[in-house]
């Protein structure tokens, strides 16, 4: 196993190799042990300053990164576009360079523009972690998803993982596909034809529009929400209809031949893509995903900081 990451940034799972992913998992296992101790803190990033730049809304990812940084003893600054000079017309590069001139070492950024992180990586020295770029990638979500799956079902090689819902607008879907394939899993996407990107099968994933058949096939169901905020035209007739034909409910799960592990990256639209009796059931590991997110992000930050030395 490699001892350091092959990359200076985590811009997307596309740019990590299997060794990188396994190194992140091995490191995250150690940090998971740390955050379950009475004293949940280590001094690993004591001399590192991290800027969390959120140009788009977030609950889980932002809090998870902030906690990961605090658990590693990093100094942190938090930036939210809504209350910043971006509103006065400042460019992304000017904003970031102003923050970096205050001696910031790492940037964790969420931005609505796909590729915003790649643009920054060409212009700044700090390590960059992509916390979600538009509909493109959300690498740490995919890492925490795969880490959580591995904890429950072991090695993912040869396992069948299905991603349900709004694939076309989802950065989580693309990052999950890259990550799971690099770990040797078989991946299928399932949803209405309008929410599945054209030619996605060229990535080597199966495509289905039949929820029951896909649930019968898979070991894990990773369920995504309908991203209404990214739909300027209607991709589905109504949420009610979506829920009826593509929603995952307990009755459906109970009628399957074998038990499926249910995941969701959040935020959940209860009663749309997933019912409460599934989200809150023993089959669901939604909150365990969130818990693992802190350990996985600690691992990513720690390994990137190690490359600075
Ligand atoms: N899963 C996820 O990215 O959630 P947030 O948008 O709340 O960060």
């Amino acid at each position: 196993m490699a001892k350091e990451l092959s990359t200076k940034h985590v811009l997307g799972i596309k740019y990590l190799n299997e060794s990188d992913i396994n190194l992140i998992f091995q490191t995250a296992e150690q940090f998971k042990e740390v955050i379950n101790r009475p004293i949940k803190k280590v001094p690993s990033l004591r001399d590192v300053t991290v800027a969390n730049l959120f140009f788009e809304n977030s609950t889980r990812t932002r809090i998870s990164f902030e906690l990961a940084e605090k658990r590693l003893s990093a100094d942190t600054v938090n930036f939210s576009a809504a209350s910043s000079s971006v509103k006065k017309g400042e460019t992304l590069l000017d904003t970031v360079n102003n923050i970096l001139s205050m001696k910031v070492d790492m940037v964790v950024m969420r931005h609505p523009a796909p590729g915003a992180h790649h643009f920054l990586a060409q212009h700044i020295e700090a390590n960059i972690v992509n916390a979600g770029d538009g509909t493109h990638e959300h690498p740490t979500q995919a890492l925490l998803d795969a880490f959580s799956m591995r904890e429950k079902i072991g090695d993912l090689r040869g396992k069948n993982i299905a991603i349900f819902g709004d694939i076309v607008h989802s950065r989580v879907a693309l990052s999950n596909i890259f990550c799971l394939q690099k770990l040797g899993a078989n991946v299928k996407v399932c949803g209405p034809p309008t929410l599945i990107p054209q030619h996605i099968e060229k990535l080597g994933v199966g495509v289905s529009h039949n929820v029951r058949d896909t649930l019968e096939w898979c070991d894990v169901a990773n369920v995504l929400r309908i991203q209404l905020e990214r739909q300027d035209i209607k991709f589905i007739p109504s949420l009610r209809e979506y829920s009826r034909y593509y929603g995952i409910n307990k009755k459906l799960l109970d009628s399957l031949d074998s038990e499926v592990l249910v995941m969701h990256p959040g935020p959940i639209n209860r009663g749309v893509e997933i019912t409460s009796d599934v989200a809150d059931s023993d089959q669901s590991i939604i909150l365990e995903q969130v818990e693992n997110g802190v350990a996985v992000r600690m691992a990513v930050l720690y390994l990137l900081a190690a490359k600075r030395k």
Side-chain angles (χ1 to χ4, degrees):
M1 161 121 30
K3 289 198 168 50
E4 64 169 32
L5 291 180
S6 64
T7 59
K8 177 184 169 185
H9 309 291
V10 174
L11 302 179
I13 299 290
K14 191 174 180 184
Y15 311 102
L16 300 178
N17 58 42
E18 189 184 351
S19 282
D20 291 328
I21 295 170
N22 284 321
L23 178 61
I24 292 168
F25 289 168
Q26 194 185 54
T27 313
E29 276 163 16
Q30 290 163 14
F31 284 132
K32 186 161 178 182
E33 198 258 311
V34 168
I35 59 181
N36 281 298
R37 289 183 200 152
I39 297 171
K40 303 172 173 54
K41 214 163 167 161
V42 286
S44 315
L45 263 61
R46 207 171 38 195
D47 49 358
V48 174
T49 304
V50 187
N52 299 306
L53 313 183
F54 279 75
F55 292 83
E56 243 190 13
N57 294 342
S58 170
T59 300
R60 278 147 292 273
T61 311
R62 201 183 59 182
I63 293 174
S64 181
F65 268 112
E66 283 179 36
L67 267 180
E69 290 150 13
K70 287 186 197 326
R71 304 275 190 247
L72 291 166
S73 307
D75 292 321
T76 62
V77 284
N78 297 318
F79 163 96
S80 145
S83 57
S84 76
S85 293
V86 169
K87 292 278 169 207
K88 300 175 193 164
E90 189 167 68
T91 66
L92 172 62
L93 191 54
D94 279 341
T95 300
V96 173
N97 271 332
N98 274 278
I99 293 167
L100 292 181
S101 67
M102 298 180 229
K103 307 285 178 250
V104 167
D105 304 297
M106 286 191 186
V107 170
V108 173
M109 185 170 83
R110 171 167 290 188
H111 199 280
H117 303 72
H118 288 76
F119 168 74
L120 269 196
Q122 288 165 12
H123 292 93
I124 66 171
E125 268 308 303
N127 306 95
I128 302 169
V129 184
N130 181 355
D133 60 333
T135 56
H136 181 219
E137 279 228 41
H138 192 351
T140 57
Q141 181 68 48
L143 289 166
L144 76 88
D145 287 347
F147 182 85
S148 305
M149 287 179 208
R150 260 178 28 134
E151 272 190 340
K152 292 293 171 189
I153 63 169
D155 188 354
L156 298 185
R157 195 159 295 279
K159 298 281 170 29
N160 294 337
I161 317 291
I163 307 170
F164 291 86
D166 186 353
I167 312 297
V168 78
H169 296 107
S170 174
R171 52 194 172 214
V172 175
L174 189 60
S175 287
N176 258 263
I177 290 168
F178 288 144
C179 189
L180 295 167
Q181 287 183 333
K182 284 178 195 225
L183 295 172
N186 308 311
V187 185
K188 194 176 273 191
V189 294
C190 178
T194 49
L195 293 179
I196 305 277
Q198 276 193 336
H199 311 303
I200 193 168
E201 62 282 357
K202 290 192 175 157
L203 292 178
V205 300
V207 176
S208 170
H209 308 300
N210 187 311
V211 173
R212 165 174 282 283
D213 286 355
T214 309
L215 284 169
E216 289 285 13
W217 171 83
C218 69
D219 300 296
V220 180
N222 200 356
V223 187
L224 309 179
R225 80 186 165 92
I226 302 292
Q227 301 201 24
L228 290 172
E229 75 277 21
R230 296 196 202 277
Q231 299 187 20
D232 43 7
I233 55 166
K234 271 187 170 262
F235 284 69
I236 49 171
S238 69
L239 291 181
R240 204 162 135 224
E241 198 165 315
Y242 179 83
S243 167
R244 177 158 179 191
Y245 292 105
Y246 290 95
I248 296 188
N249 59 52
K250 195 79 174 73
K251 196 170 157 204
L252 177 56
L253 287 185
D254 288 345
S255 71
L256 301 175
D257 289 340
S258 54
E259 192 168 294
V260 171
L261 188 71
V262 176
M263 304 177 65
H264 194 306
I268 301 174
N269 287 322
R270 285 178 183 262
V272 179
E273 69 271 4
I274 193 169
T275 52
S276 284
D277 55 4
V278 173
D280 303 331
S281 72
D282 291 342
Q283 273 174 268
S284 149
I285 58 163
I286 294 171
L287 292 179
E288 287 170 63
Q289 289 172 254
V290 178
E291 181 189 341
N292 285 334
V294 177
V296 166
R297 289 176 174 123
M298 284 172 81
V300 167
L301 295 165
Y302 172 82
L303 290 167
L304 286 180
K307 285 201 67 98
R308 299 179 67 81
K309 292 189 176 136

